């Protein structure tokens, strides 16, 4: 999921990273200036990055209903499936790291087999979530099949990366191997309170080698998806005062009759424009919550979880 191809590495090194350096980022829009610039939140309201970044509702009435009217609606089947894929990746990479730390590099010979033996546990956990959420039988079956494909695919990528570095270097410590072969932290916890965001944020993955934020999506590509990685980058900068210039939205899908998942990556510069966009979204949603202002319904509520409340089907 978070392993880049050779072509993608070349694109980053030869094109995107130099372009980001050349273009530059306005100092006022760096996360570490949260206390003295427009990055400072207008109200004492905290929001998760996903909510600030969510633009499926054009008017942001979903935030009004959620926070002001205290409306609670269940997650959609698509959201539950996406959550399961996220959880699987959040378990898989740390499992590989723990095995190497605990057993040493000798475990790498049997690592793919050992990790594949963990798949049934992941499927059982996914099945329990789907049952509790009362998802349809078809959705449950598809998620189970997709989870097998995803798990097997990522195990092969993990093993390939580990073997590549073991084959290259004679003398590697366990820690060095892991940092070379698995250079990212998944579900990295961040405290976003400086920026008016949740104190318990989780970035899907941070590539520590290139200081690059990755955000996983399972739906159709949208331009506002870039806001998620941007929000996490601003928070990271506010905490560690380390510049984050590149974001990556990872799109995961499962084409029918295809043996592996399909992964598409959208690399982008976390520019002044996208940083400003994120801050404007945060300010707008904090304002409407603070003022308890109903922004009105959007033009296309079909895909919105709150559509019943906007279309008059629920009083």
């Amino acid at each position: 999921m978070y392993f880049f191809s050779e072509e993608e590495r070349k694109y980053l090194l030869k094109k995107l990273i130099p372009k980001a350096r050349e273009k530059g980022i306005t100092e006022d829009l760096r996360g570490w200036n949260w206390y003295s610039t427009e990055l400072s939140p207008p109200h004492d309201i905290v929001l998760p990055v996903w909510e600030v970044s969510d633009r499926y509702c054009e008017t942001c009435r979903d935030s009004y209903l959620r926070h002001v009217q205290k409306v609670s609606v269940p997650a959609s089947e698509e959201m539950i499936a996406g959550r399961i894929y996220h959880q699987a990746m959040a378990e898989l990479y740390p499992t590989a790291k723990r095995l190497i730390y605990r057993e040493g590099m000798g475990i790498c010979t049997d690592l793919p087999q050992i990790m594949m033996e963990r798949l049934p546990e992941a499927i059982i956990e996914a099945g329990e979530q789907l049952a509790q959420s009362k998802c349809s039988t078809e959705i449950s079956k598809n998620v189970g099949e997709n989870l097998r494909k995803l798990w097997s695919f990522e195990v092969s990528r993990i093993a390939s990366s580990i073997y590549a570095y073991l084959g290259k270097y004679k003398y590697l410590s366990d820690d060095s191997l892991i940092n070379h072969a698995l250079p990212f932290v998944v579900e990295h916890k961040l405290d976003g309170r400086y920026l008016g965001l949740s104190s318990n944020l989780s970035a899907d993955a941070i590539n520590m080698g290139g200081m690059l934020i990755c955000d996983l999506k399972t739906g159709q590509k949208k331009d506002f998806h870039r806001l998620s990685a941007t929000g996490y980058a601003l928070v990271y900068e506010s905490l560690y005062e380390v510049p984050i210039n590149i974001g990556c939205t990872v799109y995961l899908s499962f084409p029918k009759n295809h043996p592996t998942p399909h992964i598409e990556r959208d690399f982008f510069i976390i520019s002044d424009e996208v940083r400003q966009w994120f801050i404007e979204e945060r300010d707008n949603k904090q304002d409407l919550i603070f003022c308890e202002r109903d922004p009105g319904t959007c033009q296309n509520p079909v895909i919105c979880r709150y559509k019943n409340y906007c279309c008059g089907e629920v009083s």
Side-chain angles (χ1 to χ4, degrees), residues 37-202:
T37 68
E38 59 192 293
L39 296 185
S40 182
H43 305 290
D44 189 19
I45 296 173
V46 296
L47 297 172
V49 166
W50 70 261
E51 185 168 1
V52 174
S53 306
D54 188 344
R55 292 292 290 134
Y56 286 102
C57 178
E58 297 169 0
T59 66
C60 304
R61 193 167 192 261
D62 54 345
S63 290
Y64 167 80
L65 291 171
R66 188 180 301 115
H67 293 278
V68 179
Q69 297 296 323
K70 307 300 181 184
V71 174
S72 177
V73 296
S76 66
E77 293 184 338
E78 291 77 11
M79 290 174 65
I80 295 168
R83 188 184 304 155
I84 288 171
Y85 303 142
H86 274 82
Q87 291 174 349
M89 294 301 95
E91 172 61 24
L92 188 58
Y93 299 117
T95 295
K97 295 178 181 181
R98 283 194 299 267
L99 285 168
I100 295 172
Y101 277 129
R102 189 177 63 205
E103 305 293 339
M105 286 186 289
I107 195 70
C108 293
T109 303
D110 301 316
L111 190 63
Q113 178 183 347
I114 294 171
M115 294 182 68
M116 286 304 298
E117 290 172 354
R118 305 290 180 95
L119 174 58
E121 297 176 15
I123 292 176
I124 291 173
E125 292 177 5
E128 291 175 349
Q129 288 190 50
L130 293 166
Q132 291 174 2
S133 303
K134 299 180 180 179
C135 289
S136 65
T137 302
E138 183 179 356
I139 289 291
S140 299
K141 180 181 178 181
N142 288 340
V143 169
E145 293 175 354
N146 293 341
L147 189 54
R148 286 186 178 88
K149 292 179 182 179
L150 178 60
W151 193 278
S152 178
F153 180 77
E154 287 301 306
V155 166
S156 69
R157 298 297 305 274
I158 290 171
S160 176
S161 183
I162 288 172
Y163 291 159
Y165 283 99
L166 284 173
K168 181 176 181 179
Y169 297 108
K170 280 186 180 180
Y171 308 106
L172 269 177
S173 67
D174 299 344
D175 200 41
S176 181
L177 172 62
I178 288 171
N179 279 278
H180 275 300
L182 302 172
F184 37 78
V185 178
V186 294
E187 296 300 316
H188 189 69
K189 290 297 181 181
L190 297 168
D191 186 341
R193 284 178 292 183
Y194 292 152
L195 295 170
L197 303 170
S198 170
S199 62
N200 192 34
L201 300 172
S202 293

Side-chain angles (χ1 to χ4, degrees), residues 18-33:
K19 186 176 180 181
R21 291 171 182 158
E22 178 184 347
K23 189 173 184 179
I25 305 297
T26 301
E27 189 69 12
D28 285 351
L29 293 175
R30 288 292 192 184
W32 54 74
N33 283 315

